[in-house]
Amino acid sequence: MASAPFPPVAASAASAPPRLAPRHPFAAAAASRRSSLSFRPAAPRRPVLLPPRSSAVAANTLRCTHRRAVSPRSRRRAQGLGAASALAASAWGAGEEKGGCLSCFPKSRRGRSGLARFAPCALPHASGVSFRSRLSGFKVRPSHILCAAGPDEPHVASPTWSDTSLDTPDMDHAISKEELEDVLNTPLPEHPKLIRGQLKNGLRYLILPNKVPANRFEAHMEVHVGSIDEEEDEQGIAHMIEHVAFLGSKKREKLLGTGARSNAYTDFHHTVFHIHSPTKTKEYGEDLLPSVLDALNEIAFHPKFSSSRVEKERRAILSELQMMNTIEYRVDCQLLQHLHSENKLSNRFPIGLEEQIHKWDPDKIRRFHERWYYPANTTLYLVGEIDDIPRAVREIEAVFEHTLSENEGNLVLSSSPFGAMASLFAPKLPGGFAANLSGEKSPATDKIKPVKRERQAVRPPVEHKWSLPGVSQDAKPPAIFQHELIQSFSINMFCKIPVSKVQTYKDLRSVLMKRIFLSALHFRINTRYKSSNPPFTSVELDHSDSGREGCTVTTLTVTAEPQNWRSAIKVAVHEVRRLKEFGVTMGEMTRYMDALIKDSEQLAMMIDSVPSVDNLDFIMESDALGHTVMDQLQGHESLLGVAETVTLEEVNTVGAEVLEFISDFGKPNAPLPAAIVACVPRMVHVDGVGETEFEIYPEEITEAIKSGLEEPIYPEPELEVPKELITQSELDELKLQHKPSFVPLTKEENVVKVFDSETGIAQRRLSNGISVNYKITQNEARVGVMRLIVGGGRATEDSESKGSVIVGVRTLSEGGCVGNFSREQVELFCVNNLINCSLESNEEFIFMEFRFALRDNGMRAAFQLLHMVLEHNVWLEDAFDRATQLYLSYYRSIPKSLERSTAHKLMLAMLNHDERFVEPSPHSLQKLTLQSVKDAVMNQFVGGNMEVSIVGDFTEEEVESCVLDYLGTVRAASSPNTEERIEKISFRPFPSDVHFQQVYIKDTDERACAYIAGPAPNRWGFATEGNDLFNVIQRSDADAEISEQVNLDLTGKRRIDVRSHPLFFGITLSLLAEIINSRLFTTVRDSMGLTYDVSLELNLFDKLDLGWYVIAVTSTPSKVHKAVDACKGVLRGLHSSRIVERELDRAKRTLLMKHEAETKTNAYWLGLLAHLQSSSVPRKDVSCIKELTTLYESATIEDLYLAYEHLKVDDSSLFACIGIAGAEAGEDTNDEEPDMDLHGMAPMGGRGFSTMTRPTT
């Protein structure tokens, strides 16, 4: 929850494709490290035990396009089953975002379909202490270091142990089973730097020193009360207090000028207020910790429940409630209702009930606050650059110790002051109404009661019915949720068991064995069926703990096209039963054990580069679940020790227990599923028939499950994994044939290498025309990232080949083969070498990105794969069919999404029905062939049109050797003189009847949204028709005398003449966007109460001579037109209400703060390097990187107004489209080609997370 909307500073290398960096003035954003695919770990909850890994990346894009919607201020939550979860992902993904919309993470604003945003990413790390000394009979080879199998993104897994690493453990003496058991029961070590304490009034605090980001800290105040604690007539009141307390704090507002960011959110089990702050003020160097603590004290314990503030937040929450009511939210509500039908989790959704929110007066809200908000029911977390711990403790005591626990009554204390009371710092996704939900009845609280304060011993305080063998309870029939806005079929089978606390080595060992077992299932389904045309869209199996729900849930989720639902279920349960009956093979256990250990080693190396917020997130979740918190090295050693004791038999026994609720479904003593829930459409498209009613019944689902379990099963064959894709003899032959060498970068100068000592950037060019940029950095220990950028993208599609590039890229990704290696072999090669790879396209570029570990020749392996993709790519007809069907399905899903329908109609109107900026239509898809999409893609892979950037902890010799060996041996372009032709792109001229439009869709509930857009220049000052706006600037400055381009201001700071710099428009427009966003928030939301969520985003291209801005606003049907007018007023009001220095300074601080923090990540630098040598982006050079800070500091209000003149905001240039959903909606005019959103078909974010409330700002 940022205290006001703010755009991200820069394009992130790992969070967006090269051109999706509109907020950053110069860096093309990068392709995300996303796994591709169809079969991936499902739940956003963290697996147990492991601390977060490092590598948060920057945020980026503000644009209407075909990508999925993700908030720019969100941190991607690591998911899956440790490193081996990468096995579930395609070795090279087409960039589908796992877990979908991340827009409701704390500190985020909502992502929108059609207005692409990319979320920053945080890789959780792992932990350890020496366990080996206790296992004296076992010897571990020093070649393998290990860290705890931790929460992890699907990108690092490995299939084979090195020859010296996984031998049968040697024994100095025989160790008995009893001795081993005694050792395994030893408690895990506690984090050595984590300080815990408790004040006399009961307030608990945790302090963890952490250096990343430098000179900043996180302060989170967790109040252990949430929607689960509300009485029958209080549904939503915990969320209301969060709003009133947070936004009513004057002390919090005073922090806004310091560079601090703040937000808050509410969930089932807790309410969290958090502030991300610099350690000192920039002007005077004053310590900010006392002020931050003072603000949190006021927010939590001394809020003012004034009538005016309550009414203002009532309006905001009612708007939020309507905004949240997406189909994803309604699906989440259904899943939680059935999974937790026996307790209040099924009906106490944090947003509350509309009719109750209307009724509460300040006194009722105050009484709830008095009942729950007191020191003994709160935990304070401080994580960051806090070097003086005793002083921090004194500051905590000084601020909070005088907050008395008056009238507390008898406190019910949990057994641990932290274990049960801390909770999950989880994302919050869009959600909606729960007015029709029914659940447990609680005594009404209409009469004023004496305040009795009590602290629940268990969080959340609910009872569960467990899915355990032999537990007597009636089986529930499958539940079916059918809705007109659902596009595809999905089914969830749930198993619910108590949380097993990870506190001993034995507990950790059990976690490891489960991960090995489930990783095998992930990879089997993905590889076996992805190589053909599978009946499912995705199959996901998740087994993870949930602090917010107080249980461990195993979920099998199957999604499919509605006509294939039976076959999809049968395939999934058949594979589960096969794994349960035959178990994993020795080769699989070896492979996935090695995957976890290699990943663990990598994470342990990154111990000093984990962002504070991710460490804090991990601690909160671990404490909520009762797990021991270890640091990276402790977890590393601990997992290494227990790995030595694991046997194949035990892995299969432990894993089989996890799957019994599926594999033994219908048997007398089998554990009963906690729920089976199918979410299905009302109508489906049938070729040759059109829209037809979809019918499905519970008994049909049951029969499909049983039928799949009865299919014959056979053991899993072993798969040969290549150790290398190019042998040494093949490489020698290639080098002899191509004679790779570095050549001068330009024809004018005979310089073969340019090195900038200030930034550490080196530039090279190969004899085949490929440009190379690299930077050596220790930001992330022994990790590297690489990106290939190929100029062209979708802009090269002509009227006869619409969709050819995007479908072609997806086809290549779907096939996954190179040379003579199958998709399965390529994926396992990537897993073995800790490589994650994605292949994507946008309007300007095709790009391929790699993340790899710099161990065991990991970088050479990544370069080998890149070489094979460029030289020996394989195009398969069935992969083309899958890609085509995928985009056809995306297209048909557009009318079922209010946001996507509205955005698509706006884009088509603004860009004259140019299909290159929206999803290809069925008519266009039908015209494509395998050969046409192959030609569209491969014609762009020309030596001089390719640029490769590499960033990581390598040496100059290592990287240049790989470049020469594997890039230098790529064949030169066969047709180097082929000129790229791009059909004209233009905005629709005025007047027209589509400058203002409306979209209506049928829905059971009312919602509304709107998009307002208009032309802008591109990042480098070019506008439509190729107009160079720098010529206009020079003419406007003709009377000005500028003696020096670089000089000093009165304070001695270095200043630059921004107007003469290539980044003038990138810098000034990003500052303008920051200021306009702040005004939109304070005017349209806060003052006028017309919306809960409004923001402006810029889409600044690098290569194409245009850009645009988009304002997105959510509202109600009755207010949406007023909201649009208000947004226009803010956008056009910069002349009548001029920008002041305070606004500009705040915008500069925000953008510079993010830039400074993100320069500590490889991914960000990868984005900065993009296009340094690109002939299509001639104005970018190294000065654009090293002068960025000075450019921001030098920009003036007059500079911003000069750029503002080129944002077209008049009626003749501005386009708007309003979308309205409801039962009484008018005729749907959405009959054109939609924009692209890769997550339109299925619920996003995992079970239940959309029920969390949105960040308050």
Side-chain angles (χ1 to χ4, degrees):
M1 160 204 272
S3 36
F6 57 92
V9 182
S12 157
S15 66
R19 75 139 308 280
L20 299 183
R23 295 193 190 263
H24 193 278
F26 63 89
S32 351
R33 283 177 296 98
R34 289 178 287 274
S35 59
S36 119
L37 84 67
S38 58
F39 185 84
R40 55 193 185 274
R45 295 184 304 274
R46 290 183 184 275
V48 297
L49 197 64
L50 304 162
R53 77 164 75 206
S54 76
S55 146
V57 299
N60 4 271
T61 168
L62 311 161
R63 49 189 284 215
C64 228
T65 182
H66 58 268
R67 304 203 169 278
R68 84 289 301 155
V70 180
S71 161
R73 279 174 302 285
S74 344
R75 290 177 306 280
R76 282 185 62 203
R77 199 169 274 281
Q79 303 171 15
L81 300 169
S85 64
L87 302 170
S90 167
W92 24 325
E96 286 187 45
E97 193 95 324
K98 177 182 175 342
C101 177
L102 306 167
S103 54
C104 297
F105 276 44
K107 299 186 180 169
S108 76
R109 279 207 318 273
R110 184 173 178 226
R112 298 175 186 82
S113 303
L115 300 176
R117 304 183 183 183
F118 288 78
C121 200
L123 316 176
H125 62 230
S127 328
V129 105
S130 181
F131 175 62
R132 288 174 289 167
S133 59
R134 298 293 308 274
L135 296 175
S136 56
F138 291 73
K139 292 184 177 178
V140 181
R141 317 273 186 187
S143 63
H144 236 81
I145 307 177
L146 167 68
C147 68
D152 154 328
E153 61 183 16
H155 85 280
V156 273
S158 163
T160 55
W161 292 73
S162 61
D163 294 338
T164 62
S165 299
L166 190 71
D167 299 332
T168 302
D170 297 324
M171 298 272 211
D172 289 338
H173 65 272
I175 182 171
S176 69
K177 188 174 182 179
E178 291 75 17
E179 288 178 308
L180 178 60
E181 188 72 15
D182 178 63
V183 171
L184 291 173
N185 286 327
T186 302
L188 291 166
E190 296 278 355
H191 196 303
K193 294 183 179 180
L194 183 61
I195 306 299
R196 298 175 184 264
Q198 185 167 347
L199 301 184
K200 294 177 182 179
N201 59 15
L203 183 142
R204 297 169 298 281
Y205 61 85
L206 294 88
I207 304 174
L208 178 66
N210 197 69
K211 296 292 186 182
V212 178
N215 304 314
R216 300 193 70 85
F217 67 94
E218 297 282 341
H220 289 219
M221 176 66 80
E222 179 184 31
V223 186
H224 303 293
V225 59
S227 60
I228 207 70
D229 302 295
E230 297 164 347
E231 301 292 347
E232 192 68 23
D233 64 341
E234 296 175 329
Q235 295 184 53
I237 201 167
H239 181 221
M240 170 70 85
I241 288 175
E242 173 223 308
H243 271 250
V244 174
F246 179 84
L247 289 172
S249 170
K250 299 299 182 183
K251 293 181 179 180
R252 179 193 63 84
E253 290 181 359
K254 290 180 180 178
L255 292 171
L256 297 182
T258 65
R261 303 194 306 269
S262 55
N263 220 318
Y265 64 94
T266 305
D267 199 5
F268 289 124
H269 61 314
H270 67 181
T271 303
V272 178
F273 305 96
H274 52 96
I275 298 175
H276 174 78
S277 173
T279 54
K280 298 181 183 298
T281 59
K282 187 173 182 180
E283 292 81 4
Y284 305 108
E286 296 174 346
D287 190 359
L288 276 171
L289 178 60
S291 299
V292 169
L293 295 177
D294 203 25
L296 289 174
N297 184 45
E298 180 182 65
I299 291 168
F301 303 125
H302 308 288
K304 294 188 169 45
F305 295 99
S306 66
S307 297
S308 59
R309 173 55 65 182
V310 168
E311 290 308 314
K312 181 176 288 190
E313 296 314 312
R314 194 193 313 274
R315 291 197 306 268
I317 290 170
L318 290 172
S319 177
E320 177 185 4
L321 185 148
Q322 195 152 36
M323 177 199 72
M324 289 176 67
N325 195 33
T326 62
I327 189 59
E328 291 81 18
Y329 175 77
R330 285 174 252 181
V331 166
D332 264 349
C333 288
Q334 290 291 322
L335 299 182
L336 287 169
Q337 278 183 273
H338 293 288
L339 174 60
H340 300 298
S341 59
E342 72 275 17
N343 63 52
K344 286 165 66 174
L345 288 169
S346 64
N347 55 52
R348 284 294 191 275
F349 302 128
I351 192 65
L353 301 183
E354 182 176 8
E355 64 271 20
Q356 293 192 18
I357 295 169
H358 278 291
K359 295 177 182 177
W360 303 319
D361 59 20
D363 286 339
K364 188 172 184 65
I365 297 169
R366 186 182 294 108
R367 288 198 299 274
F368 187 90
H369 180 272
E370 290 172 352
R371 198 159 81 236
W372 293 104
Y373 278 69
Y374 56 95
N377 199 39
T378 56
T379 303
L380 172 69
Y381 298 85
L382 291 180
V383 180
E385 194 154 9
I386 303 171
D387 298 325
D388 192 339
I389 300 297
R391 180 180 177 185
V393 172
R394 290 195 298 271
E395 297 287 2
I396 294 171
E397 292 172 344
V399 172
F400 292 102
E401 201 152 45
H402 298 296
T403 299
L404 301 178
S405 303
E406 299 173 357
N407 303 319
E408 285 187 9
N410 296 321
L411 294 181
V412 180
L413 298 178
S414 60
S415 58
S416 162
F418 299 102
M421 301 303 297
S423 44
L424 169 62
F425 179 29
K428 301 180 285 186
L429 300 187
F433 304 127
N436 60 342
L437 304 179
S438 60
E440 297 179 358
K441 301 293 183 182
S442 301
T445 56
D446 291 332
K447 298 181 180 180
I448 298 178
K449 302 176 180 177
V451 175
K452 180 181 179 181
R453 294 173 169 175
E454 60 181 10
R455 182 150 50 89
Q456 303 285 5
V458 177
R459 302 295 303 166
V462 297
E463 293 185 2
H464 295 281
K465 289 183 179 178
W466 304 120
S467 305
L468 298 172
V471 174
S472 177
Q473 54 181 300
D474 295 331
K476 301 178 188 176
I480 298 173
F481 175 54
Q482 196 162 23
H483 199 281
E484 52 266 25
L485 294 185
I486 294 177
Q487 170 70 11
S488 60
F489 170 90
S490 68
I491 186 169
N492 293 268
M493 293 183 69
F494 294 111
C495 173
K496 185 164 57 168
I497 62 174
V499 173
S500 296
K501 296 179 181 179
V502 181
Q503 298 178 343
T504 68
Y505 290 96
K506 186 175 183 179
D507 302 329
L508 178 60
R509 184 172 180 261
S510 177
V511 171
L512 173 62
M513 291 189 290
K514 289 176 183 178
R515 292 185 182 177
I516 293 169
F517 192 83
L518 297 180
S519 295
L521 180 63
H522 287 170
F523 190 73
R524 284 185 185 186
I525 293 183
N526 179 54
T527 55
R528 174 170 294 114
Y529 296 98
K530 196 65 176 178
S531 297
S532 57
N533 286 322
F536 55 80
T537 304
S538 68
V539 177
E540 304 169 351
L541 183 69
D542 174 67
H543 175 83
S544 53
D545 304 326
S546 173
R548 67 195 298 260
E549 295 165 87
C551 56
T552 295
V553 180
T554 305
T555 310
L556 176 68
T557 303
V558 183
T559 61
E561 292 298 313
Q563 65 271 20
N564 297 329
W565 72 266
R566 285 185 177 85
S567 299
I569 289 177
K570 290 178 181 179
V571 165
V573 299
H574 174 262
E575 200 60 43
V576 168
R577 176 172 170 252
R578 194 162 78 94
L579 181 61
K580 192 256 182 180
E581 292 298 326
F582 292 110
V584 299
T585 66
M586 179 58 75
E588 285 176 317
M589 187 184 82
T590 302
R591 181 180 307 139
Y592 305 128
M593 179 83 78
D594 188 46
L596 292 166
I597 287 182
K598 284 186 176 180
D599 192 26
S600 169
E601 175 189 17
Q602 194 63 49
L603 299 178
M605 292 179 179
M606 298 163 68
I607 185 172
D608 294 323
S609 55
V610 181
S612 296
V613 70
D614 296 308
N615 269 320
L616 188 151
D617 185 1
F618 169 72
I619 294 168
M620 289 181 75
E621 171 71 341
S622 297
D623 275 0
L625 295 165
H627 300 327
T628 296
V629 178
M630 299 186 289
D631 73 7
Q632 294 85 344
L633 294 178
Q634 290 171 323
H636 152 70
E637 293 288 342
S638 299
L639 190 62
L640 182 60
V642 299
E644 300 165 348
T645 72
V646 169
T647 67
L648 181 62
E649 180 182 2
E650 288 177 297
V651 167
N652 287 327
T653 299
V654 170
E657 292 175 357
V658 175
L659 302 181
E660 278 181 344
F661 79 104
I662 303 170
S663 62
D664 294 352
F665 179 79
K667 294 182 180 179
N669 294 321
L672 292 175
I676 301 175
V677 187
C679 301
V680 303
R682 288 199 183 279
M683 307 294 290
V684 295
H685 181 86
V686 178
D687 291 337
V689 178
E691 294 293 309
T692 305
E693 186 174 353
F694 181 68
E695 295 185 353
I696 186 172
Y697 301 96
E699 53 270 22
E700 293 179 304
I701 295 174
T702 301
E703 179 56 35
I705 296 171
K706 291 181 176 179
S707 176
L709 293 173
E710 292 168 358
E711 294 286 333
I713 58 176
Y714 305 97
E716 176 76 4
E718 292 285 5
L719 183 65
E720 181 181 356
V721 183
K723 291 186 177 181
E724 52 190 9
L725 300 180
I726 301 173
T727 66
Q728 186 60 49
S729 61
E730 291 170 335
L731 178 60
D732 291 341
E733 185 176 342
L734 285 170
K735 292 166 71 174
L736 186 63
Q737 178 182 351
H738 295 284
K739 297 180 174 56
S741 64
F742 292 114
V743 298
L745 273 67
T746 63
K747 295 179 180 178
E748 294 76 20
E749 299 181 22
N750 189 29
V751 178
V752 296
K753 181 177 183 178
V754 173
F755 178 76
D756 182 76
S757 58
E758 186 174 340
T759 60
I761 295 172
Q763 299 178 65
R764 290 282 215 169
R765 185 179 293 271
L766 289 163
S767 50
N768 56 12
I770 298 176
S771 301
V772 178
N773 312 306
Y774 66 84
K775 175 178 170 61
I776 300 171
T777 172
Q778 284 74 47
N779 282 338
E780 300 170 40
R782 302 305 292 160
V783 171
V785 291
M786 172 169 63
R787 182 184 303 120
L788 164 71
I789 299 178
V790 183
R794 292 201 68 191
T796 60
E797 297 172 357
D798 58 32
S799 57
E800 296 302 313
S801 63
K802 295 175 182 177
S804 58
V805 172
I806 194 171
V807 174
V809 168
R810 183 75 195 203
T811 298
L812 193 56
S813 175
E814 285 286 322
C817 305
V818 293
N820 296 321
F821 298 105
S822 68
R823 177 191 178 96
E824 294 88 341
Q825 290 176 308
V826 173
E827 290 183 355
L828 288 178
F829 174 80
C830 290
V831 165
N832 190 40
N833 291 282
L834 299 187
I835 297 171
N836 187 62
C837 173
S838 65
L839 178 65
E840 300 188 25
S841 65
N842 62 24
E843 296 89 341
E844 298 183 289
F845 306 99
I846 296 172
F847 43 92
M848 191 171 188
E849 181 166 321
F850 301 80
R851 179 180 173 88
F852 49 86
L854 287 158
R855 48 158 292 168
D856 298 342
N857 290 316
M859 183 161 65
R860 296 193 77 83
F863 272 90
Q864 285 182 16
L865 179 56
L866 177 55
H867 177 100
M868 294 296 288
V869 172
L870 295 176
E871 291 289 274
H872 304 288
N873 47 77
V874 178
W875 294 78
L876 303 175
E877 195 70 47
D878 62 343
F880 169 69
D881 292 340
R882 289 197 301 275
T884 304
Q885 183 59 42
L886 188 66
Y887 283 107
L888 184 61
S889 181
Y890 292 158
Y891 174 86
R892 288 174 178 160
S893 71
I894 292 297
K896 298 192 176 186
S897 167
L898 178 65
E899 289 79 11
R900 294 177 64 202
S901 298
T902 308
H904 123 76
K905 200 169 190 70
L906 177 86
M907 288 295 297
L908 289 174
M910 184 169 69
L911 293 170
N912 265 324
H913 286 75
D914 194 328
E915 198 174 294
R916 289 172 291 182
F917 297 90
V918 296
E919 184 173 310
S921 67
H923 176 71
S924 298
L925 292 170
Q926 289 170 3
K927 296 167 66 174
L928 300 177
T929 64
L930 178 63
Q931 188 61 45
S932 69
V933 301
K934 178 181 178 181
D935 291 343
V937 172
M938 298 313 299
N939 285 345
Q940 298 182 32
F941 282 76
V942 176
N945 194 38
M946 294 191 289
E947 181 185 55
V948 176
S949 298
I950 315 105
V951 179
D953 185 17
F954 42 70
T955 66
E956 178 182 347
E957 293 74 22
E958 287 173 333
V959 69
E960 294 199 351
S961 172
C962 287
V963 166
L964 283 172
D965 287 352
Y966 299 109
L967 293 181
T969 53
V970 171
R971 287 169 291 183
S974 55
S975 53
N977 296 321
T978 302
E979 185 177 348
E980 179 183 87
R981 288 194 302 230
I982 296 179
E983 291 188 356
K984 181 181 177 182
I985 302 168
S986 61
F987 293 96
R988 186 185 297 268
F990 186 84
S992 77
D993 57 356
V994 294
H995 271 65
F996 177 80
Q997 301 180 93
Q998 294 191 83
V999 169
Y1000 301 94
I1001 67 172
K1002 293 283 187 180
D1003 194 358
T1004 52
D1005 301 312
E1006 288 189 346
R1007 297 175 61 236
C1009 70
Y1011 296 116
I1012 307 155
N1018 79 356
R1019 196 184 319 276
W1020 306 99
F1022 291 98
T1024 51
E1025 310 296 336
N1027 294 328
D1028 187 348
L1029 299 183
F1030 277 95
N1031 294 330
V1032 179
I1033 294 175
Q1034 290 168 3
R1035 287 196 298 270
S1036 68
D1037 287 343
D1039 297 332
E1041 292 291 336
I1042 302 177
S1043 58
E1044 291 184 272
Q1045 184 178 0
V1046 180
N1047 51 53
L1048 302 179
D1049 64 10
L1050 296 176
T1051 65
K1053 289 184 179 179
R1054 181 173 178 267
R1055 302 189 69 84
I1056 294 179
D1057 173 24
V1058 181
R1059 298 186 189 187
S1060 63
H1061 199 281
L1063 273 179
F1064 171 76
F1065 284 96
I1067 290 286
T1068 52
L1069 290 176
S1070 63
L1071 289 167
L1072 266 177
E1074 180 71 21
I1075 292 168
I1076 293 172
N1077 264 312
S1078 181
R1079 290 190 175 192
L1080 285 170
F1081 178 86
T1082 56
T1083 303
V1084 185
R1085 174 186 159 162
D1086 209 34
S1087 298
M1088 303 178 72
L1090 297 173
T1091 181
Y1092 184 80
D1093 191 30
V1094 59
S1095 65
L1096 175 140
E1097 300 188 350
L1098 290 171
N1099 178 21
L1100 307 181
F1101 287 96
D1102 286 292
K1103 180 179 179 181
L1104 300 177
D1105 292 336
L1106 78 160
W1108 58 76
Y1109 61 85
V1110 178
I1111 295 178
V1113 59
T1114 60
S1115 191
T1116 65
S1118 62
K1119 294 181 179 179
V1120 67
H1121 289 84
K1122 292 181 181 178
V1124 168
D1125 290 340
C1127 291
K1128 291 179 181 177
V1130 171
L1131 185 63
R1132 295 168 176 168
L1134 265 64
H1135 284 303
S1136 58
S1137 177
R1138 289 188 61 84
I1139 297 169
V1140 297
E1141 285 293 341
R1142 175 180 53 82
E1143 290 179 295
L1144 178 57
D1145 289 344
R1146 181 177 172 185
K1148 289 178 179 181
R1149 276 195 299 270
T1150 299
L1151 297 178
L1152 286 172
M1153 176 186 68
K1154 292 179 70 67
H1155 170 66
E1156 180 184 357
E1158 288 157 355
T1159 53
K1160 302 297 189 291
T1161 67
N1162 290 349
Y1164 185 73
W1165 276 103
L1166 200 59
L1168 303 187
L1169 294 179
H1171 315 314
L1172 271 181
Q1173 298 188 58
S1174 173
S1175 59
S1176 60
V1177 189
R1179 286 180 172 165
K1180 181 168 183 178
D1181 58 27
V1182 173
S1183 70
C1184 295
I1185 299 174
K1186 61 184 180 182
E1187 294 176 352
L1188 174 65
T1189 299
T1190 307
L1191 286 167
Y1192 273 126
E1193 292 173 342
S1194 302
T1196 65
I1197 291 176
E1198 290 71 25
D1199 292 331
L1200 268 60
Y1201 274 101
L1202 185 56
Y1204 178 61
E1205 294 302 319
H1206 300 285
L1207 277 184
K1208 305 299 183 182
V1209 299
D1210 57 285
D1211 283 331
S1212 63
S1213 302
L1214 189 145
F1215 295 79
C1217 188
I1218 290 175
I1220 297 175
E1224 303 300 322
E1227 180 182 357
D1228 185 355
T1229 57
N1230 182 25
D1231 55 1
E1232 302 171 83
E1233 291 75 15
D1235 76 329
M1236 188 74 68
D1237 178 357
L1238 300 183
H1239 284 293
M1241 298 190 299
M1244 299 181 293
R1247 182 195 74 256
F1249 279 105
S1250 71
T1251 59
M1252 298 179 67
T1253 65
R1254 291 296 322 286
T1256 296
T1257 62

